[in-house]
Amino acid sequence: MTIQRPGLPEDLPDPEVLWARWALVAVVAATTEDERARHRTGTWIDDEGLHLDDSGCTWWTFSRWGGGRYVLYGEDESSECKWHEPPVDMLAGGPDWLPHEELRDRLAGNELGCVYWYDNGAWARAPYPEGLEDDGLDCGMSRFVERDEAHRLLDEYVGYGRPARALLMEHAEARRLTPELLGEHVSSLEGGAPDLAAMTRALRRAGLDASL
């Protein structure tokens, strides 16, 4: 899939596919040390959902809200929404269940680039003014939306090349990933044994293994 600039709701895949790819990266990257960190960067999952923060120009959160509802929000420096005159109302048309307090706090701090939500079987976002060239969705989410890009995010952790990456992604998307499979194919960034306990906790939060 290709994400337009600015993004369109139809550029995003089924939210369960997006969740599985993002969550898999969070699972293989999980370490007990990072879990204990006060300020986190990288890709991780917690009780609020999936997160991405490169400690530079991009951060994103992807959360489940039950009943088949999801919200995706964040920022990449390429987004023009908050700098547009007048500023884009990124919550216009949004449903009541959105985390409005969190989003308004982000808006007040000029920390929000775009908001997308999934409800009633479809992605949606606020309308954009004519001439807006980018909302940051492409730079932020292509890594998970494009399957080959998602595979490459596993390179540092999966030591057996493309077949192993594809195997883990297939099992994640089918919700049949297991600690045993992770232990077999994933290594730490240093090339040693992975932190299987932390990965298993992340796997449980992600819901990628129906047996957990």
Side-chain angles (χ1 to χ4, degrees):
M1 296 181 67
T2 299
I3 297 180
Q4 308 298 313
R5 295 189 179 184
L8 298 171
E10 55 266 32
D11 293 338
L12 289 167
D14 183 275
E16 286 294 325
V17 172
L18 180 61
W19 183 275
R21 294 175 183 176
W22 191 334
L24 177 58
V25 178
V27 168
V28 301
T31 68
T32 301
E33 181 180 0
D34 283 343
E35 287 176 333
R36 295 170 177 166
R38 183 175 179 182
H39 301 288
R40 298 187 67 170
T41 58
T43 305
W44 73 95
I45 184 169
D46 60 20
D47 292 339
E48 295 178 358
L50 290 161
H51 303 275
L52 167 68
D53 190 330
D54 70 357
S55 67
C57 64
T58 190
W59 70 268
W60 296 84
T61 293
F62 185 31
S63 299
R64 285 169 160 165
W65 284 81
R69 299 174 299 180
Y70 296 79
V71 58
L72 169 68
Y73 59 95
E75 178 183 27
D76 183 88
E77 64 179 356
S78 62
S79 175
E80 299 175 1
C81 290
K82 66 183 182 182
W83 307 120
H84 190 272
E85 290 295 340
V88 177
D89 181 359
M90 289 175 259
L91 303 182
D96 292 341
W97 55 263
L98 289 179
H100 286 280
E101 184 176 353
E102 163 74 8
L103 295 172
R104 290 193 181 105
D105 283 347
R106 294 285 190 177
L107 282 168
N110 284 329
E111 297 176 334
L112 195 61
C114 65
V115 182
Y116 286 74
W117 54 87
Y118 187 89
D119 198 6
N120 296 318
W123 284 103
R125 62 157 169 77
Y128 291 163
E130 186 176 351
L132 184 82
E133 295 184 356
D134 200 350
D135 65 353
L137 186 71
D138 182 26
C139 289
M141 287 294 107
S142 287
R143 70 196 77 196
F144 301 123
V145 169
E146 297 177 17
R147 192 181 183 93
D148 286 346
E149 290 294 323
H151 279 172
R152 279 192 281 272
L153 293 174
L154 303 175
D155 278 349
E156 294 180 290
Y157 305 96
V158 181
Y160 299 98
R162 185 177 180 86
R165 298 197 311 263
L167 177 68
L168 291 176
M169 190 71 71
E170 176 187 343
H171 280 257
E173 292 181 1
R175 301 301 189 274
R176 58 171 185 262
L177 198 59
T178 64
E180 292 76 19
L181 195 63
L182 292 168
E184 180 181 354
H185 292 291
V186 179
S187 61
S188 70
L189 286 177
E190 293 75 27
D195 190 336
L196 190 56
M199 288 198 301
T200 301
R201 288 190 291 271
L203 182 62
R204 182 175 293 111
R205 292 190 187 99
L208 297 185
D209 181 355
S211 70
L212 290 174

